[in-house]
Amino acid sequence: MSWFKRDKPDAQFEVLIPPEMTEAMTGGGSIAPRISRSEALQVPAVLRSRNLIAGTLACLPVHIRDKERRIATPTTLLEQIDPDVPNVVTFSQTYEDLLFEGISWWRVTEVGWHGYPTFAQHVNVSRVHVSGVDLPTLNGHQAMGPFQVFIDGLPVPDEEVIRFDSPNPALLRVAGRAIRTCLNLDTTASMYATEPLPLGYLSPRDGERIREDDDAVQEMLDKWEIARRSRVWAYVGQALEAKTLQFNAEQIQLADQRQHAVLEIARAAGIDPEDLGVSTTSRTYQNSEQRRRDLLDFTLTAYMSAVEQRLSMRDVLPRGYEAKVNLDAFLRADTKARMESYAIGKPVGAYTDEEIRVLEDRPSLTPTQRAAMKPVSLPPQNGQRPEEVMDER
């Protein structure tokens, strides 16, 4: 018996056909096309979702911390990312890209003596292309590897770009049908709102014969519409009679359909329907702090972690440092609850006087103020005196 060794091919190829193309070739159509960002933002529910996610996260400060969880400044990048743009704007654009496109880009504009970025600027997603993914070459520039980043058609070295990736799929792609449905319903409701008579028709009176060719009918309807723009009713003459159809105002406004479309957008964006104006009768009572906690746990954390972990990578920060979003302001409770937390946490070492001052955004105490302070004992717990509580601890 003889054995033959078969050489492996030099290259292997795989043809991946996008599902949209497959549906087009087979006559299907279950996958809705992507909607543009400008169209999506015309829908109030989408705009509100964007503001809740991108706007809320952008207002939270981002600090660099060392291994001991102390705030450090190995690089000044996060103190002022773009010297010409406030950090809140840069971060809001970044989070918006992650929500809508699933990806966001920064371009490094300056590197410090330590070799790490000190300044960067946000780059619109439409200006960035990657060869091997969407374009083989661009403007005659040959790719210098399996993947090459192009900004405005020019190749950019990898060390000059910071790419953020969202763990969630792009909203404009996966929720395109829901957004487009809501936009169409809003357009239809707006059309009915501009018509003094939502539904009606003109008909000849009994025994009257009028000219009914297309030009004459169109001319008559144009005059009718022009007259109604300046008055509620218009004069149609003796030969015609205006008749209205029975209608329900709520049905004409498509209230139920629009509420359902908004509910679908809330599901896709991960937003509580109550925040988009959709009442849910099965909802249990929650206070403001708990609602914020739910929004953070189930929606904001995904985008927040994407930014934190990307800014903590070794091409942005030295080893041993990480970027963390400060959530103190977002999860801030009412004054009474905060004071009670400090009173309980201080005796066990959870807070110091200086840390409490920082959390309350207060300046440090002067020696004179410290000398004038009087010790405050804990309130009795379960009928015990403060000294008994301290003795047990």
Side-chain angles (χ1 to χ4, degrees), residues 59-71:
C59 294
L60 301 179
V62 183
H63 300 305
I64 301 175
R65 297 187 179 183
D66 58 16
K67 293 182 179 179
E68 303 298 328
R69 299 181 180 177
R70 294 173 299 191
I71 297 178

Side-chain angles (χ1 to χ4, degrees), residues 53-62 87-89 91-92 95 325-326 329:
I53 296 176
T56 300
L57 289 174
C59 294
L60 301 179
V62 183
N87 281 2
V88 65
V89 177
F91 277 120
S92 66
Y95 287 119
V325 176
N326 190 335

